[in-house]
Amino acid sequence: HRCPHGSSAAPRSAASARSSPRTHRLTLALVSSLPRLSQLGPIASIASSLPGAMDVMDELRRKADQGDAEEQYGLGQCHYHGQNVPQDYAKATRLFRRAADQGRLSAQCEFGKCYLEGTGVPQDHREGARLFRRAANKGHASAQCALGNCYEFSKGMP
């Protein structure tokens, strides 16, 4: 998800946020981007304060519950970073696992990081490296880098 730029993305009222599919998509993109936006500090509050943001979170949860891997990964990021939901590493890792099991490469990489760090799951370097390898073999650049670090620092290697 990319954060759209420009002030025209923000609707003027909650009613217009619910009635416009374009606004709904833009709000969803902003809310789903919150974990990345949180690294920028106060800008994250802009997206969460948009009219309809909580409706979008409800939609994100609904789609994740229905098995949408992209939304499971996005909701996992929200739980991991505590954006629009309470921070909950265990819930984040469950969502990452569901998305990873469906082949979502970014989720495999994030789930591997959780195992490597012991965040939300017991620390297991071998499982973390296995998940990195799975995504890296399919061309995921972050997973390739993380797997390289596992080799360099002997984390999870035989």
Side-chain angles (χ1 to χ4, degrees):
H1 295 98
R2 292 284 180 232
C3 175
H5 298 284
S7 60
S8 63
R12 291 204 162 98
S13 70
S16 67
R18 287 186 196 97
S19 64
S20 167
R22 181 176 189 282
T23 301
H24 180 77
R25 284 192 311 274
L26 292 174
T27 303
L28 179 59
L30 282 171
V31 170
S32 297
S33 297
L34 284 177
R36 287 184 293 278
L37 289 175
S38 67
Q39 297 168 356
L40 301 175
I43 194 167
S45 65
I46 295 169
S48 63
S49 66
L50 284 174
M54 294 320 292
D55 293 338
V56 171
M57 286 303 297
D58 291 339
E59 181 74 6
L60 186 65
R61 281 187 200 92
R62 186 184 66 73
K63 287 183 177 182
D65 289 343
Q66 290 176 345
D68 185 310
E70 179 74 20
E71 306 307 341
Q72 289 167 344
Y73 173 71
L75 187 57
Q77 286 286 344
C78 289
H79 280 288
Y80 190 89
H81 295 283
Q83 296 294 333
N84 285 335
V85 294
Q87 189 171 45
D88 186 337
Y89 294 129
K91 195 174 280 188
T93 56
R94 283 193 302 271
L95 287 159
F96 290 153
R97 176 190 307 266
R98 289 172 57 197
D101 287 347
Q102 294 183 65
R104 178 75 163 83
L105 300 180
S106 294
Q108 290 171 9
C109 189
E110 287 298 319
F111 197 31
K113 288 178 192 174
C114 291
Y115 270 111
L116 203 64
E117 297 166 357
T119 307
V121 292
Q123 189 172 44
D124 184 340
H125 292 163
R126 284 185 187 257
E127 182 62 14
R130 186 189 72 77
L131 287 160
F132 291 146
R133 186 176 296 107
R134 200 166 112 187
N137 287 341
K138 294 186 178 167
H140 192 273
S142 293
Q144 291 169 343
C145 182
L147 183 60
N149 285 332
C150 286
Y151 278 105
E152 182 177 359
F153 299 106
S154 299
K155 300 269 186 182
M157 297 297 118

